[in-house]
């Protein structure tokens, strides 16, 4: 690809205690590309995602998103709180458990980033927030508190909240795993339309069919190592690696039964 | 058979009134100062820099693990000599009670903050907030709501603790009661009234806390 990658991760390493979660991971994501991270639980895919916005601080390697980059390791000094905040403001993250702010209405949740972090005037932030809530199909729920929303609605508010920072990249950490099956579709629908608009996205997911249809690339992780990285349909339909085949066989069996 | 005579109380009404005002004034002062100290110490107990946490914890443990009566006496008699300063009984009493209350408030604050799910500050940090902004905007408002009932309970205990300042001859409700008892030779009537007055102030407050607890439980 001719343009510089939007996200570039090299030799990324993360250790929790004596357990190595990521061993020398390299990953590049082009602008507008949608990459799905799949793999068994404990494979390190969520940790890798959280290293992309430094919610988890790596122990080694380098992370670059857009124009900001950080090196990690024994010789590198850890970035300060202010630097980390600026870095994270450029990436949006959506969590498995939504993590909406329960003491704020849906509208206030979406306005929070622009007002507190971007110092946007309240009126302007409200216009932005209302348009984003409309975009995720929740214009009529603006005044509701999270406790009054369904799981699918909460997650769509959470997506609007992340988008309000107008991030260069969106990260999804098992965004549909905590949802009742009948609510998964509405969240995947919003993610699909974001992908179609050209948003750069990294998605940790167990929705293999969604990864196949919406992602450009699928990356298979196991034991902190990328085993396979290729075009979505090829990796899902005709995996080259035995590890990928073994993992995907669970899902194929599910689909057949 | 003892002959109760409550009619003698009327002549001491201004003494009781003044004592009650001193007790309430003390309570307001030590609750406000204690909350400031407690909020600071509670936040410091969660600091990232370990020595700051240790200092905050040492403060909490020292004041939680010594009796308040001992602290009052120590602050009035020992501290001035140790520090080479002069201190009125009122100053010593406010200082000791505020620091004592602050230690308990600090534990409530720390517990309240720790009870907020990690996902809340993660979401705030992910938006690009600094840790300070995440604490002020997201974690503290939720934690404070959970802290209100235990903080109010602790404040009620603080009101009762003010009765101990009478040992330093601070003219609070109990001290004035003692004065009236010595004067009238009617301690049973006097101390009955003192108990009734404390109860009359505290009982409505405990009802209020109970109502607040139920309302917050419903809102969750």
């Amino acid at each position: 690809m001719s343009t510089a990658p939007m996200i570039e991760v090299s030799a990324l390493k993360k250790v929790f205690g004596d357990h190595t979660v990521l061993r020398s991971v390299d990953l590049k994501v082009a602008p507008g590309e949608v990459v799905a991270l799949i793999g068994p639980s404990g494979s390190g895919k969520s940790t890798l995602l959280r290293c992309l916005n430094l919610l988890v601080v790596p122990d080694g390697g380098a992370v670059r998103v857009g124009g900001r980059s950080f090196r990690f390791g024994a010789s590198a000094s850890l970035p300060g709180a202010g630097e980390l905040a600026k870095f994270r403001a450029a990436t949006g993250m959506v969590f498995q458990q939504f993590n909406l702010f329960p003491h704020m209405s849906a509208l206030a949740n979406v306005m929070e980033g622009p007002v507190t972090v971007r110092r946007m005037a309240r009126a302007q932030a409200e216009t932005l927030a209302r348009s984003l809530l409309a975009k995720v199909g929740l214009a009529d729920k603006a005044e509701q508190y999270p406790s009054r929303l369904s799981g699918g609605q909460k997650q769509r508010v959470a997506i609007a909240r992340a988008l309000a920072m107008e991030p260069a990249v969106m990260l999804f950490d098992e965004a549909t795993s905590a949802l009742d099956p009948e609510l998964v579709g509405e969240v995947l629908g919003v993610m699909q339309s974001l992908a179609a608009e050209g948003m750069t996205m990294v998605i940790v997911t167990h929705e293999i069919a969604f990864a196949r249809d919406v992602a450009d690339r699928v990356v298979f992780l196991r034991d902190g190592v990328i085993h396979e990285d290729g075009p979505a349909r090829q990796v899902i339909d005709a995996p080259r690696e035995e590890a990928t085949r073994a993992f995907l066989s669970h899902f194929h069996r599910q689909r057949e039964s | 058979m003892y002959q109760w005579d409550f009619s003698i109380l009327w002549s001491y009404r201004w003494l009781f009134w003044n004592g009650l005002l001193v007790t309430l004034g003390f309570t307001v002062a030590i609750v406000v100062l204690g909350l400031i100290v407690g909020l600071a110490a509670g936040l410091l107990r969660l600091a990232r820099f370990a020595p700051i946490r240790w200092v905050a914890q040492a403060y909490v443990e020292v004041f939680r693990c010594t009796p308040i009566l001992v602290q009052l006496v120590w602050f009035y008699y020992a501290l001035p000599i140790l520090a080479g300063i002069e201190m009125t009984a009122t100053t010593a009493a406010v200082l000791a009670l505020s620091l004592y209350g602050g230690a308990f408030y600090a534990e409530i604050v720390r517990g309240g903050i720790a009870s907020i799910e990690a996902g809340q500050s993660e979401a705030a940090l992910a938006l690009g907030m600094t840790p300070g902004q995440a604490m002020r905007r997201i974690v503290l408002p939720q934690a404070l709501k959970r802290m209100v009932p235990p903080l109010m309970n602790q404040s009620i205990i603080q009101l009762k603790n003010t009765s101990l300042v009478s040992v330093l001859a601070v003219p609070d409700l109990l001290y004035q009661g003692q004065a009236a008892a010595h004067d009238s030779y009617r301690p049973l009537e006097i101390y009955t009234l003192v108990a009734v007055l404390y109860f009359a102030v505290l009982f409505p407050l405990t009802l209020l806390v109970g109502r607040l607890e139920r309302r917050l439980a419903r809102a969750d």
Side-chain angles (χ1 to χ4, degrees):
Chain A
M1 215 166 285
S2 58
T3 47
M6 179 67 87
I7 301 174
E8 197 169 358
V9 164
S10 53
L12 199 70
K13 191 183 164 201
K14 180 65 198 177
V15 181
F16 288 124
D18 54 7
H19 176 54
T20 304
V21 185
L22 297 173
R23 336 166 171 260
S24 194
V25 169
D26 298 297
L27 183 70
K28 285 181 183 147
V29 181
E33 198 176 20
V34 177
V35 172
L37 296 178
I38 63 168
S41 51
S43 59
K45 54 193 193 302
S46 276
T47 304
L48 173 56
L49 194 76
R50 280 158 178 262
C51 284
L52 296 182
N53 69 352
L54 304 183
L55 273 186
V56 169
V57 179
D59 295 311
V63 175
R64 180 177 69 75
V65 173
R68 292 178 193 276
S69 62
F70 289 110
R71 299 200 61 79
F72 301 92
S75 58
S77 63
L78 286 177
E83 272 180 283
L84 280 177
K86 284 206 188 76
F87 182 84
R88 292 187 187 122
T91 63
M93 183 173 250
V94 177
F95 299 86
Q96 182 177 358
Q97 298 296 341
F98 328 127
N99 297 347
L100 286 184
F101 307 135
H103 58 307
M104 299 179 181
S105 67
L107 182 69
N109 263 278
V110 182
M111 288 171 63
E112 187 57 29
V115 170
T116 301
V117 179
R118 296 171 68 194
R119 305 267 172 225
M120 192 184 279
R122 293 200 74 86
Q124 195 189 347
E126 183 174 336
T127 309
L128 171 67
R130 286 194 188 278
S131 74
L132 286 169
L133 284 173
K135 180 183 172 126
V136 298
L138 292 172
D140 57 329
K141 301 286 184 192
E143 322 301 335
Q144 297 284 355
Y145 279 77
S147 59
R148 304 287 303 273
L149 300 174
S150 74
Q153 291 169 337
K154 283 182 199 170
Q155 197 58 301
R156 287 186 281 153
V157 173
I159 292 172
R161 176 177 70 178
L163 289 174
M165 291 301 293
E166 298 180 330
V169 172
M170 283 287 280
L171 310 173
F172 293 85
D173 190 5
E174 301 198 23
T176 59
S177 298
L179 296 175
D180 291 337
E182 73 271 21
L183 302 176
V184 167
E186 63 191 67
V187 173
L188 292 182
V190 169
M191 290 165 67
Q192 186 158 17
S193 62
L194 270 182
E197 286 169 25
M199 175 63 80
T200 309
M201 291 162 62
V202 181
I203 303 168
V204 168
T205 187
H206 292 293
E207 300 286 336
I208 300 299
F210 179 77
R212 178 185 178 277
D213 296 336
V214 175
D216 300 302
R217 257 167 67 210
V218 167
V219 171
F220 173 73
L221 242 88
R222 202 185 69 185
D223 301 328
V225 176
I226 291 181
H227 283 259
E228 187 157 357
D229 177 350
R233 276 157 203 267
Q234 178 252 300
V235 174
I236 304 281
D237 294 340
R240 291 205 181 98
E241 301 293 323
E242 181 49 40
T244 320
R245 250 196 303 276
F247 173 71
L248 287 172
S249 69
H250 300 296
F251 290 92
H252 292 313
R253 238 181 282 132
Q254 260 174 22
R255 212 184 301 166
E256 279 154 21
S257 63
Chain B
M1 183 70 184
Y2 184 75
Q3 288 294 312
W4 292 84
D5 179 11
F6 286 100
S7 64
I8 58 105
L9 297 175
W10 184 247
S11 56
Y12 297 104
R13 61 192 180 279
W14 294 113
L15 214 57
F16 289 121
W17 176 247
N18 287 335
L20 192 61
L21 287 184
V22 169
T23 289
L24 293 177
F26 251 93
T27 305
V28 170
I30 64 172
V31 164
V32 170
L33 290 173
L35 282 173
I36 293 169
V37 172
L39 183 63
L43 289 171
L44 292 179
R45 286 213 52 188
L46 298 163
R48 263 171 299 177
F49 189 52
I52 293 180
R53 288 202 304 271
W54 298 335
V55 170
Q57 189 173 359
Y59 154 68
V60 168
E61 298 306 346
V62 164
F63 280 88
R64 279 203 311 179
C65 300
T66 50
I68 177 60
L69 189 54
V70 173
Q71 289 171 25
L72 279 167
V73 171
W74 191 88
F75 267 77
Y76 185 52
Y77 294 107
L79 182 63
I81 294 169
L82 205 68
I85 47 169
E86 279 188 44
M87 214 189 285
T88 64
T90 306
T91 309
V94 168
L95 208 58
L97 281 167
S98 300
L99 290 172
Y100 176 78
F104 286 90
Y105 290 138
E107 282 304 284
I108 296 171
V109 168
R110 187 193 61 78
I113 291 170
S115 77
I116 303 299
E117 306 70 45
Q120 289 291 309
S121 47
E122 278 184 358
L125 294 176
L127 281 179
M129 288 190 205
T130 62
Q133 286 172 328
M135 181 58 76
R136 276 196 307 282
R137 297 283 312 162
I138 305 304
V139 177
L140 263 188
Q142 297 179 58
L144 279 173
K145 211 177 95 174
R146 291 186 194 177
M147 289 176 212
V148 166
L151 287 177
M152 286 187 68
N153 275 322
Q154 189 60 43
S155 301
I156 286 171
I157 295 172
Q158 283 288 82
L159 194 156
K160 287 190 281 187
N161 285 339
T162 60
S163 66
L164 296 167
V165 302
S166 58
V167 299
L168 303 185
V170 174
D172 75 323
L173 180 56
L174 181 57
Y175 184 84
Q176 300 290 34
Q178 285 165 350
H182 291 145
D183 187 60
S184 64
Y185 300 106
R186 284 278 170 188
L188 301 193
E189 288 84 349
I190 300 280
Y191 289 126
T192 303
L193 177 65
V194 167
V196 166
L197 286 175
Y198 276 113
F199 185 84
V201 174
L202 285 165
F203 184 58
L205 288 175
T206 59
L207 287 182
L208 189 72
V209 176
R211 257 183 55 182
L212 203 71
E213 266 174 344
R214 282 192 297 277
R215 229 184 50 207
L216 290 176
R218 269 205 306 278
D220 260 349

